[in-house]
């Protein structure tokens, strides 16, 4: 065997990427996600048929109820949680993380490759399901899809960054992520004042509530006090970068058992 | 190697049903050892502490400013010390109890299924029924820890801060209502959790299914109820169904009572079948 | 993979551990360990909780030393550069079970940066080396313990590391499997690799290891070849068994040698001796046998096995200072 074999760091990272993508996609969580999206789709189709003659009501229902409450409020965080929170912690509990950490890929790059894989998969699922929920409403669905796509993209990026950070941090990241998604995100959303500004959903919703949006969505509580779409975009973007950087730093220093 | 028992000594062996308690105790011990449990429990206790403080504040105001009692009672209808106070408190504990149970289910039963711990139990004198009952007891006690027990403490607080004799003698039925609703929650939710954990022991799919049942379906049921103007869609919300049955323990009857009974009974029977089928399957496999 | 001794052998050690300590909260898992590992098989031996796994984790860059320095091929063991020289076969059965054996090794080759034809060539070569080429298309979850161990070894070897770290590789393997793996380790060592084997099975170390590290309570009790360590244990007389004709006649004459502490006769032909200074004894005994015309059938030290040496070391370590 040669003394100086041709090795490529990019190839090694791309192997981490492919392995993560494969292990996350061919998992039980994909089946459960399919069931949940299937249910949501069934209800959407039912509503689209029921509201066929009432265009304005149909758009309002799609945007404010199905997409805002059901999709952004539950499906988006739970899909991100399913893939991101298990990416590192499942390797850890399955005692296979050691194989990744024994390779010559620097730890920050392992983390970054995993993030890229989980993000791609999660974006594929969230945007795919968003499109499938909008399409039954025809042209109005397209308008709604165009408004929601950038919001969902950036919110997914942020959620994946956060839940992957949990995954690198604690062994039972899934439960921590669930507690965050269902308690912090939900509870603080209804609290007046600035506490809610620590959540991803606040910025995602603020973006949707912006005056420039053609959907005319409004907060459900009067004292919601949303920020502008531009601010929301900046915060979500910077938070995503910050969370990934923090995760890379943590993963590169932490000793896993 | 055998350790013969001397002929003149007799060993007393307790009936096998007594094994249920050690199984539950071990399961609880496993859960209590985790830091995350205490974090979630602290979150679950926040609502209790808030209620506890509010009842105390209300009692103080009533004593110091009797003239505003009517105003206070009108403002804080949920804290009037009636059955609704405790019923609503137990309903409000739903989200955090659900998260706590998802975690506990994975620890106290999920690991047995995914890592072969079931063999450890079944190699003793106990059977799958005893194992399932032990785990159910543990889940029931955890549910009681976040719902029944704090509700009973609030009931005691309410009585002791007012006229204890009058309150307890007039409203002793509330205590039975709390215990009844708590028992119903423990059995119905415990069976459902154990059934899900038996088939889905890994934490991520379990959390997603559990979240689907207790967050996704309620939102869906709300949308469908509003849209089709039919309250029966509300039966998709399982925690609400148990609440409707539980409110009967406090003497209140909901219009969906029969439907809720059907859903809870159906889910419980299906859960029992699923648990027994799965445990038997695992027993044969091992 | 070809297992041939490289043309040039490095004289400097592959692994240098200098004064390494590791704490886990208040628990001191390793206490100021210094050692060097070079090519050949090195056995890492110690009771449960001795710090073996912690040491392996430090060497493979899974953990960082709280104090001290660990260098692999001149690089800090924590860094990726060092890991390129290390192949690690961890304890236990865990692998990516859903993959086939071939796929698993191929993925590991990819994780080390090999692509395309080179990755395939290495995969096939390593599968051949570990004797799994014909069974590598089955999913790993269907493998027996021995097959798993071989595939794990394959993934550790795929990037042709200089140092191979094996945590309890013989645990749970049947005798035939052990022999096969033992032969493989010997071939790897002959090819110039440093093979570090952590094991509870001390008898295996007798046959395999050229060099043994005895660890207990986080400290390195001794390191070196078994013979060297045994020689250093001069407060424990070496036990010898001599088989010869007329042992009753030879016994009192042997007692006259300065290096012999005691002699026990066990008819028909055995003598059991306790010897104070082995080197001196061998010299004296040679002369003695010639001078007295002793017909020696067998001469063997009975307590130089890893197990016996380990017992002495443990006993010595437990003595109050």
């Amino acid at each position: 065997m040669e003394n100086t074999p041709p090795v490529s760091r990019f190839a090694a990272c791309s192997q981490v990427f492919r392995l993560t993508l494969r292990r996350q996609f061919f998992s039980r969580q994909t089946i459960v996600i399919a069931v949940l999206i299937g249910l949501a789709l069934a209800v959407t189709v039912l509503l689209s048929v029921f509201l066929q003659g009432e265009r304005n009501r149909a758009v309002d229902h799609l945007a404010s109820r199905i997409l805002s409450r059901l999709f952004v409020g539950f499906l988006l965080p739970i899909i991100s949680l399913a893939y991101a929170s298990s990416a590192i912690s499942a390797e850890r509990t399955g005692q296979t993380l050691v194989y990744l950490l024994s390779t010559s890929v620097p730890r920050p790059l392992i983390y970054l490759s995993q993030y890229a894989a989980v993000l791609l998969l999660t974006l594929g699922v969230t945007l795919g399901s968003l499109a499938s929920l909008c399409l039954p409403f025809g042209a109005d669905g397209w308008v709604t899809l165009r408004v929601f796509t950038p919001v969902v993209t950036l919110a997914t990026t942020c959620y994946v960054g956060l839940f992957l950070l949990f995954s690198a941090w604690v062994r039972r990241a899934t439960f921590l992520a669930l507690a965050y998604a269902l308690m912090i995100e939900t509870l603080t959303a209804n609290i007046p004042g600035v506490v809610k500004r620590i959540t991803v959903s606040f910025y995602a919703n603020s973006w949707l509530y912006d005056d420039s949006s053609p959907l005319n969505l409004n907060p459900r509580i009067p004292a919601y006090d949303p920020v502008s779409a531009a601010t929301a975009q900046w915060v979500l973007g910077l938070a995503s970068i910050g969370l990934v950087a923090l995760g890379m730093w943590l993963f590169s220093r932490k000793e896993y058992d | 190697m055998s350790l013969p028992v001397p002929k003149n000594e007799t060993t007393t062996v307790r009936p096998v049903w007594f094994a249920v308690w050690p199984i539950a105790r071990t399961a609880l011990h496993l859960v209590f050892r985790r830091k995350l449990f205490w974090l979630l429990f602290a979150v679950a206790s926040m609502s209790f502490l808030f209620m506890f403080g509010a009842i105390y504040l209300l009692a103080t105001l009533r004593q110091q400013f009797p003239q505003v009692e009517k105003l206070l009672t009108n403002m804080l209808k949920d804290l009037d010390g009636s059955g609704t106070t405790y019923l609503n408190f137990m309903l409000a504990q739903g989200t955090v109890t659900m998260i706590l149970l998802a975690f506990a289910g994975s620890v106290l039963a999920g690991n047995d299924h995914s890592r072969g711990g079931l063999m450890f139990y079944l190699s003793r004198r106990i059977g799958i029924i005893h194992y399932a009952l032990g785990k159910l007891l543990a889940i029931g006690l955890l549910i009681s820890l976040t719902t029944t027990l704090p509700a009973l403490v609030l009931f005691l607080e309410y009585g002791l801060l007012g006229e204890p004799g009058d309150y307890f003698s007039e409203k002793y039925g509330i205590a039975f209502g709390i215990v009844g609703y708590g028992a119903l929650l423990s059995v119905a939710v415990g069976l459902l959790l154990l059934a899900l954990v038996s088939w889905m022991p890994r934490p991520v799919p379990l959390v997603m299914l559990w979240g689907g049942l207790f967050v996704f379906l309620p939102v869906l049921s709300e949308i469908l109820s509003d849209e089709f103007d039919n309250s029966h869609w509300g039966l998709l919300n399982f925690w609400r169904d148990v609440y409707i049955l539980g409110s009967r323990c406090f003497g209140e009857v909901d219009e969906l009572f029969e439907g809720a009974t059907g859903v809870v009974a159906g889910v419980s029977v299906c859960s029992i079948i699923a648990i027994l089928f799965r445990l038997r399957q695992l027993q044969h496999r091992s | 993979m070809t297992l041939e001794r490289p043309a040039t052998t490095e004289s400097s050690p592959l692994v240098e551990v200098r004064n390494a300590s590791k704490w886990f909260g208040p628990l001191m898992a390793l206490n100021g360990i210094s050692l060097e590992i070079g090519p050949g098989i090195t056995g890492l031996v110690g009771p449960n909780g001795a710090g073996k796994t912690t040491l392996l984790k430090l060497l493979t860059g899974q953990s960082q030393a709280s104090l001290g320095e660990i260098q692999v091929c001149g690089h800090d063991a924590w860094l990726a550069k060092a890991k390129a020289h290390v192949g690690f076969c961890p304890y236990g059965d865990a692998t990516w079970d859903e993959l086939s054996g071939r796929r698993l090794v191929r993925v590991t080759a990819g994780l080390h940066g090999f692509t395309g034809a080179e990755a395939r060539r290495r995969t096939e070569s390593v599968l051949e080396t570990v004797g799994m080429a014909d069974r590598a298309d089955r999913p790993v979850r269907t493998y027996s313990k021995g097959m798993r161990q071989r595939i794990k070894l394959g993934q550790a070897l795929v990037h042709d590391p200089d140092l191979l770290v094996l945590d309890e590789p013989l645990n749970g393997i049947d005798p035939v499997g052990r022999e096969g793996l033992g032969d493989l380790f010997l071939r790897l060592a002959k090819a110039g690799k440093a093979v570090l084997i952590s094991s509870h099975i001390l008898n295996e170390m007798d046959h395999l290891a050229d060099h043994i590290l005895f660890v207990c309570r986080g400290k390195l009790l001794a390191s070196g070849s078994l013979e060297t360590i045994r020689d250093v244990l001069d407060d424990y007389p070496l036990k010898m068994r001599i088989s010869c004709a007329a042992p009753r006649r030879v016994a009192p004459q042997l007692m006259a040698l300065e290096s012999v502490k005691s002699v026990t006769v066990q008819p028909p032909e055995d003598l059991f001796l306790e010897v104070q200074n082995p080197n001196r004894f061998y010299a004296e005994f040679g002369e003695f046998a010639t001078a007295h015309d002793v017909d020696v059938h067998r001469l063997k030290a009975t307590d130089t096995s890893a197990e016996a040496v380990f017992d002495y070391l443990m006993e010595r370590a437990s003595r109050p200072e």
Side-chain angles (χ1 to χ4, degrees):
Chain A
M1 209 171 271
E2 304 90 316
N3 285 332
T4 50
V7 292
S8 150
R9 183 159 283 175
F10 177 76
C13 290
S14 113
Q15 183 66 70
V16 178
F17 176 86
R18 277 177 285 144
L19 183 72
T20 309
L21 199 63
R22 180 197 168 107
R23 281 176 63 78
Q24 289 302 311
F25 183 70
F26 293 106
S27 60
R28 289 193 182 188
Q29 45 261 44
T30 304
I31 300 169
V32 182
I33 287 170
V35 171
L36 292 176
I37 292 173
L39 268 175
L41 192 60
V43 171
T44 310
V45 171
L46 202 66
L47 282 180
S48 69
V49 172
F50 188 71
L51 299 169
Q52 217 159 19
E54 303 166 78
R55 187 171 173 242
N56 286 342
R57 221 175 128 213
V59 174
D60 179 58
H61 271 68
L62 173 67
S64 66
R65 294 188 165 206
I66 294 173
L67 296 185
S68 248
R69 285 198 66 195
L70 202 64
F71 189 77
V72 177
F74 177 76
L75 282 173
L76 179 58
I78 213 83
I79 293 168
S80 310
L81 174 159
Y83 291 129
S85 77
S86 70
I88 295 171
S89 60
E91 298 280 358
R92 208 173 153 190
T93 48
Q95 295 175 331
T96 48
L97 186 60
V98 64
Y99 293 108
L100 285 178
L101 299 182
S102 306
T103 61
S104 47
V105 188
R107 282 184 173 212
L109 290 182
I110 295 178
Y111 186 88
L112 199 61
S113 308
Q114 288 211 321
Y115 175 76
V118 173
L119 183 64
L120 180 74
L121 180 59
T122 315
L123 275 177
V125 175
T126 51
L127 292 178
S129 50
L130 175 70
S132 65
L133 291 175
C134 291
L135 287 182
F137 287 84
D140 297 327
W142 274 109
V143 174
T144 316
L145 179 64
R146 273 203 295 275
V147 174
F148 272 85
T149 298
V151 181
V152 168
T153 304
L154 213 48
T156 304
T157 311
C158 207
Y159 274 128
V160 169
L162 181 67
F163 295 146
L164 195 65
L165 173 67
F166 285 169
S167 190
W169 181 30
V170 291
R171 185 181 278 270
R172 295 185 176 271
T174 308
F175 301 103
L176 192 65
L178 181 74
Y180 170 82
L182 298 187
M183 298 215 61
I184 309 289
E185 291 273 341
T186 315
L187 285 185
T188 54
N190 297 321
I191 297 176
V194 293
V195 186
K196 61 175 98 58
R197 294 190 179 199
I198 60 165
T199 63
V200 176
S201 60
F202 171 76
Y203 295 99
N205 285 326
S206 291
W207 191 347
L208 292 171
Y209 297 150
D210 194 74
D211 294 338
S212 59
S213 166
L215 296 176
N216 288 324
L217 288 170
N218 290 308
R220 280 190 296 155
I221 59 167
Y224 196 78
D225 196 18
V227 294
S228 70
T231 310
Q233 288 159 18
W234 271 104
V235 172
L236 287 175
L238 288 176
S240 303
I241 295 167
L243 288 167
V244 175
L246 189 61
M248 285 166 72
W249 176 80
L250 182 78
F251 189 71
S252 67
R253 294 180 63 86
K254 197 167 163 66
E255 293 175 9
Y256 295 96
D257 43 29
Chain B
M1 193 176 73
S2 62
L3 292 171
V5 179
K7 279 178 184 170
N8 53 352
E9 277 185 32
T10 54
T11 48
T12 51
V13 181
R14 291 194 297 179
V16 72
W17 290 100
F18 280 75
V20 169
W21 172 239
I23 294 170
R25 198 180 53 207
T26 311
L28 286 174
H29 182 67
L30 279 175
V31 177
F32 291 159
R33 266 192 353 197
R34 320 279 164 157
K35 283 181 207 151
L36 189 59
F37 167 79
W38 293 107
L39 179 75
L40 295 174
F41 185 68
V43 176
S45 304
M46 277 167 61
S47 158
F48 163 72
L49 290 173
F50 175 76
M51 286 279 277
F52 192 91
I55 290 171
Y56 173 77
L57 188 70
L58 202 62
T60 311
L61 287 173
R62 272 188 187 135
Q63 268 187 350
Q64 291 179 0
F65 309 101
Q67 63 275 23
V68 295
E69 184 177 351
K70 200 172 174 185
L71 177 74
L72 286 173
T73 314
N74 278 338
M75 277 176 69
L76 301 166
K77 279 180 187 157
D78 271 357
L79 292 176
D80 61 359
S82 68
T84 318
T85 305
Y86 310 104
L87 197 58
N88 287 345
F89 167 76
M90 289 167 86
L91 177 71
Q93 289 289 77
T95 307
V96 72
T97 304
M98 183 272 287
I99 296 170
L100 198 72
L101 286 181
F103 169 68
S106 162
V107 173
L108 59 78
N111 288 351
D112 289 347
H113 295 83
S114 59
R115 295 184 193 169
L118 189 64
M119 266 173 72
F120 169 81
Y121 290 101
L122 299 183
S123 61
R124 269 71 182 163
R125 286 199 306 145
I126 58 169
I128 50 171
I129 302 273
H130 309 107
Y131 169 82
L133 283 176
K135 295 294 179 183
L136 271 177
L137 181 60
I139 296 170
L141 288 172
L142 281 175
I143 295 173
S144 304
L145 209 60
T146 54
T147 54
T148 317
L149 200 68
L152 282 173
V153 172
L154 292 177
F155 173 71
L156 282 176
E157 186 203 10
Y158 205 98
L160 292 172
L161 289 178
E163 293 294 327
D166 294 348
Y167 186 75
F168 290 136
S169 61
E170 284 171 19
K171 300 195 172 174
Y172 64 91
I174 289 176
F176 291 110
I178 293 171
V179 173
Y181 180 27
L184 190 68
L185 268 176
S186 299
V187 173
V189 180
L191 280 171
L192 182 59
L193 177 65
L194 196 59
L196 284 180
V197 170
S198 302
W199 287 94
M200 208 63 95
R202 287 169 192 249
V204 179
L206 172 71
V207 155
M208 294 178 69
L209 265 185
W210 201 238
L213 280 171
F214 288 100
V215 182
F216 182 77
L217 282 185
V219 176
L220 217 57
S221 77
E222 221 175 286
I223 293 172
L224 291 168
S225 299
D226 286 356
E227 201 52 56
F228 298 111
D229 200 19
N230 184 344
S231 59
H232 279 84
W233 285 109
L235 293 173
L236 282 173
N237 185 343
F238 188 70
W239 192 263
R240 184 95 198 165
D241 295 337
V242 183
Y243 168 83
I244 291 170
L245 258 66
S247 61
R248 188 68 179 257
C249 301
F250 295 86
E252 291 174 22
V253 184
D254 194 284
E255 55 169 328
L256 292 175
F257 179 76
E258 281 177 16
T261 310
V263 171
V264 173
V267 168
S268 299
V269 170
C270 289
S271 300
I272 291 170
I273 294 168
I275 293 165
L276 293 179
F277 182 72
R278 179 63 173 166
L279 289 179
R280 215 166 263 287
Q281 196 185 36
L282 290 172
Q283 190 181 24
H284 285 301
R285 205 179 284 172
S286 65
Chain C
M1 196 171 79
T2 51
L3 292 177
E4 284 159 16
R5 184 175 282 280
T8 53
T9 48
E10 289 179 40
S11 54
S12 62
L14 289 165
V15 177
E16 283 182 88
V17 178
R18 283 194 284 272
N19 209 21
S21 299
K22 179 72 184 171
W23 287 278
F24 294 105
L27 179 81
M28 194 169 206
L30 282 183
N31 184 0
I33 281 190
S34 295
L35 55 90
E36 291 181 347
I37 298 172
I41 299 183
T42 304
L44 178 62
V45 171
N48 289 333
K52 298 192 297 290
T53 303
T54 307
L55 183 58
L56 294 189
K57 281 187 169 184
L58 293 179
L59 293 175
T60 54
Q62 310 293 314
S63 288
Q64 270 186 303
S66 311
L67 268 181
E69 203 180 331
I70 295 160
Q71 300 263 313
V72 175
C73 296
H75 306 289
D76 184 340
W78 177 258
L79 299 176
K81 274 182 185 171
K83 288 176 187 168
H85 298 276
V86 183
F88 184 36
C89 183
Y91 177 76
D93 289 341
T95 55
W96 293 304
D97 277 2
E98 71 278 12
L99 304 180
S100 69
R102 181 167 271 108
R103 183 82 199 154
L104 178 76
V105 178
R106 173 80 177 74
V107 163
T108 319
L111 290 172
H112 283 285
F114 299 107
T115 51
E118 175 64 13
R120 273 195 297 278
R121 188 184 71 74
R122 280 175 178 267
T123 303
E124 294 311 318
S125 164
V126 99
L127 286 172
E128 201 66 52
T129 303
V130 297
M132 285 293 292
D134 54 338
R135 294 166 288 180
D137 288 322
R138 279 164 49 191
V140 176
R141 65 170 172 271
T142 63
Y143 282 1
S144 69
K145 193 141 186 145
M147 289 160 79
R148 268 175 189 270
Q149 206 59 262
R150 283 172 186 273
I151 277 295
K152 277 169 60 192
L153 200 59
Q155 67 77 31
L157 283 168
V158 76
H159 59 298
D160 194 21
D162 298 305
L163 170 68
L164 189 61
V165 179
L166 312 165
D167 195 357
E168 302 280 358
L170 303 173
N171 207 17
I173 309 286
D174 61 53
V176 179
R178 269 185 209 174
E179 203 179 318
L181 285 175
D183 288 345
L184 178 58
F185 301 154
L186 288 169
R187 276 190 290 144
L188 290 167
K190 273 187 192 158
K193 300 203 180 303
V195 183
L196 176 65
I197 305 175
S198 156
S199 181
H200 283 104
I201 307 165
L202 298 177
N203 290 339
E204 300 287 350
M205 290 296 110
D206 283 345
H207 304 124
L208 288 173
D210 320 310
H211 194 93
I212 294 194
L213 306 167
F214 287 97
V215 186
C216 183
R217 290 186 211 126
K219 285 187 176 177
L220 186 66
L221 295 183
S223 75
S225 68
L226 270 177
E227 292 75 24
T228 317
I229 298 171
R230 184 63 191 86
D231 286 350
V232 174
L233 289 166
D234 50 6
D235 46 347
Y236 291 93
L238 181 71
K239 289 177 181 159
M240 305 284 304
R241 178 183 177 181
I242 299 174
S243 301
C244 62
R248 286 182 193 281
R249 179 181 63 83
V250 176
Q253 294 166 337
L254 274 174
M255 277 305 289
L257 300 180
E258 275 187 39
S259 56
V260 177
K261 273 188 76 182
S262 70
V263 181
T264 310
V265 181
Q266 192 172 324
E269 62 169 14
D270 286 340
L271 287 165
F272 287 92
L273 280 70
E274 282 194 333
V275 175
Q276 194 60 55
N277 184 334
N279 288 336
R280 189 170 169 184
F281 167 77
Y282 289 128
E284 286 180 352
F285 185 74
E287 286 173 19
F288 169 84
T290 316
H292 292 84
D293 196 22
V294 181
D295 182 14
V296 180
H297 305 152
R298 184 163 58 176
L299 172 71
K300 192 184 175 197
T302 58
D303 63 348
T304 52
S305 67
E307 198 163 349
V309 172
F310 182 62
D311 286 343
Y312 290 146
L313 286 168
M314 289 295 289
E315 196 184 311
R316 195 188 237 197
S318 61
R319 274 189 219 155
E321 305 224 345

